Amino acid sequence: MKNEEKKRARTLRKQGFSLNEISKEVMASKGSVSLWVRDIELSRTQRNKLNKRGFSVDAIEKRRITRINNTKQRHSLVFSKAKSDVNRITKHDLWMLGVALYWGEGGKTARGLVRLSNSDPQVIRIMMRFFREVCDVPEEKFRGHVHTFSHLNAEHAEQYWAKVSGIPRACFYKTYVKPSKAGQGKKDSLPHGTFQIYVCNTNLFLTIMGWISGVYSQALKK
């Protein structure tokens, strides 16, 4: 539905309608309309017509750009302040972070198999640090498994995840390639597919499960 509204808004903008008029026509917020049509430039004739009808196109455009820039600046300040609140990550912090990530993203059903799957390279990097520095997993115990899509380059995906994880491609299981409908013009949300870290170790699996249970128990205490 929103795609239809956006398409209609862009058509009206190309015809010289104002943002307020388009907002009322497609029943969407002025802010949304502004984003949808921001790359469309009005002709001089269209701008003059809007000015004659009481719309100062130049003034409106200037206010819109100022509003967008101010919003970006406010967001940047909030982001920077939050980032500065984080101090150096200790080994205990890394332990807690790894336990929490495994709790949310790790495999919990196959006893003896520690497994975590994710498409975010930051999560994979953090978990590899957790396994190496907290769990003391030997390098030869790591295995990787790439899940990708038929329209993507599987070899590039393997190279990408090998670099992210530090696990040699020789230690990867055969890449799983899934049929894809991305040829319909949809944006690739997973350009490198997903990556799974495997460690076959029953004691490590039970240890992580115990850590998760302990964190849960302690978190409920007041």
Side-chain angles (χ1 to χ4, degrees):
M1 183 65 180
K2 184 163 289 187
N3 287 335
E4 295 178 2
E5 294 172 352
K6 180 178 179 179
K7 184 177 180 180
R8 176 61 176 161
R10 291 180 63 82
T11 298
L12 292 173
R13 187 59 169 175
K14 290 176 182 178
Q15 294 173 359
F17 285 82
S18 71
L19 297 180
N20 283 330
E21 291 174 317
I22 298 172
S23 177
K24 293 177 182 178
E25 175 68 21
V26 303
M27 291 185 292
S29 70
K30 187 176 177 181
S32 294
V33 170
S34 177
L35 290 175
W36 294 341
V37 305
R38 60 184 174 182
D39 61 322
I40 298 176
E41 295 185 8
L42 299 177
S43 68
R44 178 171 295 184
T45 300
Q46 290 172 327
R47 294 165 74 91
N48 289 337
K49 284 184 178 180
L50 286 179
N51 285 331
K52 289 179 181 179
R53 287 158 50 198
F55 300 103
S56 177
V57 177
D58 292 333
I60 291 174
E61 184 66 10
K62 185 176 180 179
R63 287 197 299 271
R64 185 178 73 87
I65 293 174
T66 299
R67 183 173 63 253
I68 291 174
N69 288 337
N70 288 340
T71 299
K72 288 182 178 178
Q73 187 174 17
R74 289 197 303 272
H75 291 177
S76 179
L77 288 173
V78 172
F79 178 89
S80 298
K81 171 61 173 61
K83 185 175 180 179
S84 68
D85 289 339
V86 181
N87 297 316
R88 186 180 66 86
I89 299 296
T90 66
K91 189 170 183 177
H92 183 269
D93 295 332
L94 180 60
W95 172 81
M96 181 63 76
L97 182 56
V99 170
L101 283 174
Y102 196 92
W103 192 352
E105 304 293 336
K108 307 171 188 69
T109 56
R111 178 170 294 189
L113 181 62
V114 175
R115 177 180 59 84
L116 182 133
S117 176
N118 212 272
S119 62
D120 188 339
Q122 295 179 338
V123 171
I124 297 300
R125 289 189 180 100
I126 291 295
M127 288 307 297
M128 289 303 296
R129 274 201 65 191
F130 169 74
F131 288 136
R132 287 177 171 128
E133 299 176 25
V134 175
C135 304
D136 295 321
V137 176
E139 291 299 320
E140 64 271 15
K141 294 290 289 185
F142 288 114
R143 295 293 182 272
H145 194 194
V146 177
H147 283 220
T148 188
F149 302 93
S150 56
H151 71 286
L152 298 175
N153 189 309
E155 184 175 357
H156 287 175
E158 292 175 9
Q159 293 173 347
Y160 175 81
W161 290 116
K163 183 176 180 180
V164 168
S165 67
I167 302 175
R169 289 174 64 190
C171 296
F172 282 16
Y173 296 123
K174 183 178 179 181
T175 294
Y176 173 75
V177 179
K178 181 179 180 180
S180 173
K181 296 181 180 180
Q184 298 178 354
K186 297 180 181 178
K187 181 180 178 182
D188 285 329
S189 58
L190 300 174
H192 303 290
T194 60
F195 185 69
Q196 293 183 334
I197 305 168
Y198 284 90
V199 179
C200 294
N201 188 313
T202 300
N203 286 342
L204 179 58
F205 174 83
L206 295 174
T207 297
I208 293 176
M209 291 298 100
W211 284 342
I212 291 173
S213 180
V215 168
Y216 174 73
S217 298
Q218 293 299 320
L220 294 181
K221 292 182 179 180
K222 295 183 179 180

